[in-house]
Amino acid sequence: MKKRIVLALGGNALGDGLAEQMQAVKTTVKAIADLIAAGHQVVVTHGNGPQVGMINQAFEAAAKADSHTPMLPMSVCVALSQGYIGYDLQNALREELLERGINKPVATLITQVAVNPADPAFLNPTKPIGSFFTKEEAERLMRNGHTLREDSGRGYRRVVASPKPQDIIEKETVRAMLEADQVVITVGGGGIPVLVEGNHLRGASAVIDKDWASAKLAEMIDADMLIILTAVEKVALNYGKPDVQWLDRLSPADAHRFIEEEHFAKGSMLPKVEAALAFAESKAGRQALITVLSKAREGIAGKTGTIICQ
Ligand SMILES: NC(=O)OP(=O)(O)O
C-alpha cells in the first residue's frame, strides 16, 4: 500500500563536516529514492546538531576577532543550517531520482516552528549542539558563560534550550507540494523556532528536537507513517547489556511503561520513542517506525525495525 511518509534522518545520515556531509548524503538518498520509486509520498526531515553548533561557533569566533562580523541569533543559525543541509540533500536526491528515470521536483522549504515562550525548556537547556570538548575545555568555556553538559559518555557539548513544537507555520505549503507530487525537505534541524506575536514571528534562541518536530509535522499533514532513522535497527530494553531485548512492536501502553521504567537513554533513544509514541497516539491507524536508514524499506513492509502503533 502506498503511504504518506515523514522520514526523519539522524546525524549518521549526514556525516560530520562539509566534505563528509556531501559524501554521506549520496548513500542516504539511495534509501530515500527506493521509497519514492516504490510509490510512497515522502517528506524528508533531518537533524542539525553538529551543523548548527559549527555555524554558531564560527560566527562567535569571527565576531570576537572582527567587530564588523555580527553574532548570529540561534534562530538564524538554524535557518542557515536548514539551507546548507537542504542544499546538499536536494541536489543528491534530485540526481539519484534522475538517474533512475524519475523526474520529480525536489525542494527544501525553509520552515518555521512555533514554540511556547512559557515552555520550561527555556529555563533548562538540554539540547547538545556542535563539537565535543574535553572536561578541561568545557570548564574553560563554562567560566566564559557557556552551558555545557556531558553527552552520552562521548565528551562535553554546548547545550541550548529545546522547547516542544506547537505548530508548523508552513504546513500548508508542505501539503501543497505533496499534492503537486513534489518531494519536500522540511523542518530541518527541528525547524526555525519562532514565537508568535500577532502577525509577527520572532526568532527564539533554541534548537527544537527534530524527532519531535517531525512527529508534529506528520500529525499536521496527516501522514500514515513517521519513520525515525537512527544508528540501531530496533529499539531495545537493557541496551548494551547481555540480556538485551530487541523490540519488534510496541503498543502505546508498553511504550509508556518502558519510558516510566527509564529503559531509554535521555537525549538519545528516549526522545525518539516519545516522539514516535506521540504520533502513534494522535490517531488510530498511524504508525511510527524506528530503524536504520538501510532497513527503512523492510521496516515499512513490517519485516524489521520497531513499530509503535495503537
Ligand atoms: N535539531 C536536532 O534534533 O538535531 P540533531 O538530531 O542532530 O540533534
Side-chain angles (χ1 to χ4, degrees):
M1 196 186 101
K2 313 288 184 227
K3 293 182 195 290
R4 178 173 283 190
I5 296 170
V6 173
L7 186 72
L9 302 176
N12 49 349
L14 302 173
D16 268 330
L18 271 77
E20 205 185 302
Q21 177 175 296
M22 201 176 272
Q23 205 50 44
V25 294
K26 288 190 178 145
T27 311
T28 300
V29 297
K30 288 189 193 308
I32 303 173
D34 283 347
L35 303 185
I36 294 168
H40 299 298
Q41 219 177 44
V42 180
V43 177
V44 181
T45 69
H46 60 83
N48 70 344
Q51 297 85 353
V52 76
M54 175 190 76
I55 292 165
N56 181 249
Q57 280 168 231
F59 271 88
E60 194 177 278
K64 272 190 195 137
D66 165 17
S67 61
H68 297 288
T69 304
M71 287 281 282
L72 288 191
M74 192 55 79
S75 53
V76 178
C77 296
V78 175
L80 290 178
S81 75
Q82 282 190 351
Y84 145 62
I85 298 168
Y87 163 60
D88 273 353
L89 269 175
Q90 76 184 35
N91 277 338
L93 185 53
R94 176 183 172 274
E95 193 174 319
E96 181 66 30
L97 291 173
L98 286 173
E99 275 166 18
R100 296 178 188 213
I102 303 170
N103 197 353
K104 247 184 218 292
V106 182
T108 300
L109 181 66
I110 296 297
T111 313
Q112 302 171 95
V113 174
V115 294
N116 181 352
D119 191 314
F122 281 110
L123 301 175
N124 179 28
T126 55
K127 178 85 189 154
I129 60 163
S131 45
F132 290 88
F133 297 97
T134 63
K135 193 164 188 286
E136 294 69 36
E137 288 169 328
E139 281 166 359
R140 183 172 46 76
L141 285 164
M142 285 192 270
R143 281 195 295 276
N144 290 337
H146 294 294
T147 308
L148 286 93
R149 294 219 177 134
E150 212 279 324
D151 184 7
S152 316
R154 297 176 296 173
Y156 288 76
R157 288 174 92 187
R158 286 167 74 162
V159 286
V160 295
S162 193
K164 289 283 186 303
Q166 304 295 321
D167 187 20
I168 312 291
I169 304 295
E170 287 81 12
K171 56 188 176 292
E172 302 301 345
T173 313
V174 176
R175 264 204 217 106
M177 288 174 76
L178 287 176
E179 269 141 37
D181 204 23
Q182 302 192 12
V183 181
V184 55
I185 299 164
T186 180
V187 297
I192 304 163
V194 291
L195 305 172
V196 180
E197 297 177 345
N199 288 337
H200 179 64
L201 300 174
R202 182 155 65 89
S205 185
V207 174
I208 300 169
D209 183 275
K210 65 111 181 16
D211 295 317
W212 276 105
S214 304
K216 177 58 76 180
L217 174 78
E219 194 186 316
M220 297 192 114
I221 63 167
D222 201 16
D224 303 300
M225 187 173 236
L226 166 68
I227 305 181
I228 296 181
L229 297 172
T230 183
V232 289
E233 192 169 331
K234 295 181 185 187
V235 179
L237 304 181
N238 306 319
Y239 181 69
K241 297 183 186 156
D243 58 344
V244 63
Q245 191 186 331
W246 300 102
L247 302 169
D248 296 324
R249 210 174 172 87
L250 265 179
S251 67
D254 283 343
H256 279 292
R257 182 162 58 86
F258 295 145
I259 289 170
E260 269 164 37
E261 290 171 1
E262 299 188 357
H263 277 284
F264 309 124
K266 282 185 187 146
S268 177
M269 192 52 86
L270 179 63
K272 295 180 196 315
V273 173
E274 286 179 328
L277 175 61
F279 175 68
E281 280 188 320
S282 62
K283 191 172 166 186
R286 289 179 176 168
Q287 290 190 322
L289 166 69
I290 302 178
T291 192
V292 280
L293 179 70
S294 59
K295 300 281 179 180
R297 206 168 162 187
E298 283 175 63
I300 293 168
K303 293 180 186 158
T304 191
T306 302
I307 289 275
I308 304 180
C309 63
Q310 292 184 28

